[in-house]
Amino acid sequence: MRRVCLTLPTHRACADTIAAVGEEAAYGAERFGVEVHFLILDSSPAPVLAEHRRAVAALPASPGVTVHHLDETGQRDFLRTVIDRSGGAPTDRLLELMLPSRVSYGACTNRAFLVAQALGCTSVHRRDSDSRYQRFAGAPVFPIHQELAWLGRPANDVRESATRSKLPPGSGSRRVTLVGGSFTGEMSVDVAEIRDLDPDTYRELIGLSIPEGYPEIWRGHLIDESFRGAGDSAFDGDRTTLAPVSPMRVDMCNIALDHEVYRRVPLPPATDTIGSDYVLIHLLHDARMPGVQHNRHIVNFHTAGRRTDEGFLAYQLRFVKFLLSKAYLNAVYARTAAAGDALLDAEGHLRACEIAGFVRDSTALDRAFCAHRLDVLDDAYRRLGDRYKTVADVLVERRTRLLDEVRDDMADFALLMDHWEALTRASADVGPRVVGAVNR
């Protein structure tokens, strides 16, 4: 029986989301006759963790669904077993990259990839704690419906079933490796207030995420589209596009990846950096791998923690690190886009060694380029005034540290890639016995 992993990484209270994703898991198992492993990777503080355990215990037993709720102790034990089995060195460094003490969007998903390998799953389906489902005709609109319908099938076999097809020539025999939708509701990045306060400064900041050399008309379009997802569009029936999927059109809270992708290439383990988990989408798009973009968009909302002074500062610093990291990532993407389907080996799989080389080469970029970005950011936050000036003051205080971190994050990514296939093989070898399940 096909086995899939529906994962919810979290470090904050989300009992309602656990219940909702549990319902999606039951829907997937019943509708498609698959075995769904609902994996909750929980880095929450003790009181929230206890609340989540109660939420998991309250999930109704569902045929075909197995629930795994791993706190950080359970995750660390699993990782140590896998790292030791892989023979990778240095062990402590790999463990730090896989389970850092700071927030890492890439690392939490990498842990899901390894657990999925141990469970024998053929795909990972990711959701986020700050999202919920649309409803249509009285029922929730579950993305897993489209994910299970398309993922892993040869593109030529599903071409006629998709609403439309924009497959590049010669890619029809390749498997669908990614299925994703976007989001509605609040912007995925908390910058709406900046846009309202000062549209010109907003465009300057968002423009830092766009690669150099784009024509101004395209830059303007990409800035307008960034972080807005599907806007206010409500689900009114399924529509799908079969094509290499643009990272601008899907969100990591609403995505599924085939195991042939994530067992070869991980996500960057960068800490305190939003958007670090979109690299695989870029790689698959540049390699012209077939994907399916659907309109079962998830509803995004901002948690209360972002509204506090502490939460505001933390989030803005993660946004700054994202804009700094794009100096390096855009250099990598320029090379992957130029390589095209040469990123794939003879069997149509991503060439991890070549990609790792691109990432490692990026660390040699002139540091002055990134330093100039930090100057632009400092000026922009000071123009915004009020609590944004506090962000600018922190940027001055942490200037050297930030510039070091964004470069070192790329070196860490290359290091993790060097060991990744050994880690995924070891995960498959140790099997499900080291993961455990919640007895309900």
Side-chain angles (χ1 to χ4, degrees):
M1 179 183 288
R2 180 182 178 188
R3 190 177 298 174
V4 305
C5 177
L6 176 61
T7 188
L8 176 66
T10 186
H11 64 284
R12 56 194 166 203
C14 62
D16 290 345
T17 306
I18 289 171
V21 179
E23 188 179 352
E24 184 178 25
Y27 173 92
E30 179 183 9
R31 185 67 177 262
F32 290 89
V34 300
E35 187 177 327
V36 179
H37 288 260
F38 177 21
L39 172 65
I40 305 161
L41 296 174
D42 204 335
S43 297
S44 303
V48 175
L49 182 63
E51 178 186 344
H52 289 170
R53 286 183 174 136
R54 290 190 292 271
V56 169
L59 292 172
S62 300
V65 176
T66 303
V67 181
H68 311 269
H69 183 201
L70 299 183
D71 61 15
E72 286 213 345
T73 298
Q75 294 174 56
R76 187 173 291 106
D77 290 345
F78 167 78
L79 290 170
R80 281 201 177 277
T81 300
V82 169
I83 292 169
D84 289 344
R85 180 64 173 262
S86 75
T91 299
D92 289 343
R93 184 66 181 128
L94 289 176
L95 183 60
E96 183 182 1
L97 295 180
M98 290 300 303
L99 188 58
S101 58
R102 295 155 62 187
V103 171
S104 173
Y105 300 93
C108 70
T109 311
N110 286 338
R111 297 196 294 275
F113 291 158
L114 290 188
V115 174
Q117 282 290 105
L119 294 171
C121 296
T122 59
S123 55
V124 166
H125 309 246
R126 197 184 110 171
R127 306 293 179 255
D128 280 352
S129 55
D130 54 353
S131 57
R132 53 180 175 262
Y133 301 103
Q134 293 190 71
R135 297 188 69 84
F136 180 69
V141 180
F142 292 131
I144 203 169
H145 180 100
Q146 295 289 25
E147 295 166 348
L148 294 178
W150 302 96
L151 202 62
R153 297 174 60 187
N156 278 336
D157 289 358
V158 299
R159 189 194 300 259
E160 297 302 320
S161 302
T163 306
R164 62 176 180 164
S165 174
K166 300 195 303 185
L167 281 180
S171 62
S173 61
R174 297 173 183 165
R175 286 155 45 96
V176 172
T177 53
L178 180 154
V179 178
S182 190
F183 65 91
T184 65
E186 297 184 271
M187 296 178 74
S188 60
V189 174
D190 200 355
V191 290
E193 184 180 67
I194 297 176
R195 182 190 59 196
D196 294 340
L197 284 172
D198 187 338
D200 290 337
T201 296
Y202 173 82
R203 294 178 70 81
E204 182 180 30
L205 288 175
I206 303 304
L208 292 174
S209 68
I210 310 299
E212 298 290 323
Y214 269 55
E216 192 57 37
I217 189 170
W218 280 104
R219 287 183 64 82
H221 174 72
L222 290 172
I223 290 169
D224 290 341
E225 292 289 313
S226 292
F227 312 124
R228 299 186 64 181
D232 297 324
S233 60
F235 181 81
D236 59 359
D238 284 310
R239 289 183 294 279
T240 53
T241 300
L242 176 66
V245 176
S246 166
M248 295 284 290
R249 299 300 177 192
V250 294
D251 193 86
M252 282 299 292
C253 72
N254 188 358
I255 201 161
L257 290 161
D258 185 81
H259 71 287
E260 294 289 3
V261 175
Y262 60 74
R263 77 182 182 90
R264 289 179 167 80
V265 180
L267 291 166
T271 55
D272 295 326
T273 308
I274 65 166
S276 58
D277 46 356
Y278 281 72
V279 168
L280 287 177
I281 309 175
H282 279 274
L283 296 179
L284 293 173
H285 177 268
D286 290 347
R288 306 194 312 156
M289 288 297 286
V292 171
Q293 177 186 327
H294 63 77
N295 66 326
R296 290 185 170 233
H297 306 311
I298 278 176
V299 181
N300 182 62
F301 63 91
H302 293 170
T303 56
R306 289 197 198 180
R307 309 303 185 194
T308 66
D309 288 342
E310 182 182 4
F312 168 82
L313 178 60
Y315 196 86
Q316 292 302 319
L317 291 174
R318 292 172 195 164
F319 178 54
V320 165
K321 270 200 74 179
F322 161 72
L323 293 175
L324 295 176
S325 72
K326 289 291 281 186
Y328 295 93
L329 287 171
N330 284 341
V332 174
Y333 297 151
R335 296 183 70 179
T336 58
D341 51 16
L343 289 173
L344 306 176
D345 62 21
E347 297 180 343
H349 301 139
L350 289 171
R351 296 161 56 93
C353 288
E354 181 141 351
I355 296 163
F358 294 164
V359 172
R360 190 169 281 110
D361 289 348
S362 76
T363 63
L365 288 176
D366 187 349
R367 184 184 174 101
F369 183 55
C370 209
H372 173 68
R373 283 177 168 244
L374 197 50
D375 292 337
V376 172
L377 286 159
D378 178 81
D379 289 344
Y381 277 101
R382 292 191 188 283
R383 284 199 305 273
L384 291 167
D386 197 20
R387 59 180 182 169
Y388 291 95
K389 183 180 178 298
T390 303
V391 179
D393 291 340
V394 174
L395 297 186
V396 172
E397 176 188 333
R398 300 185 188 177
R399 181 181 181 87
T400 300
R401 172 180 157 187
L402 285 168
L403 293 174
D404 288 343
E405 279 189 5
V406 292
R407 180 198 59 210
D408 293 347
D409 285 344
M410 297 301 286
D412 288 341
F413 184 26
L415 174 65
L416 183 60
M417 273 195 278
D418 290 341
H419 296 278
W420 185 249
E421 291 195 63
L423 290 172
T424 58
R425 283 195 300 270
S427 294
D429 288 344
V430 300
R433 64 181 176 79
V434 296
V435 179
V438 175
N439 294 319
R440 293 176 297 115

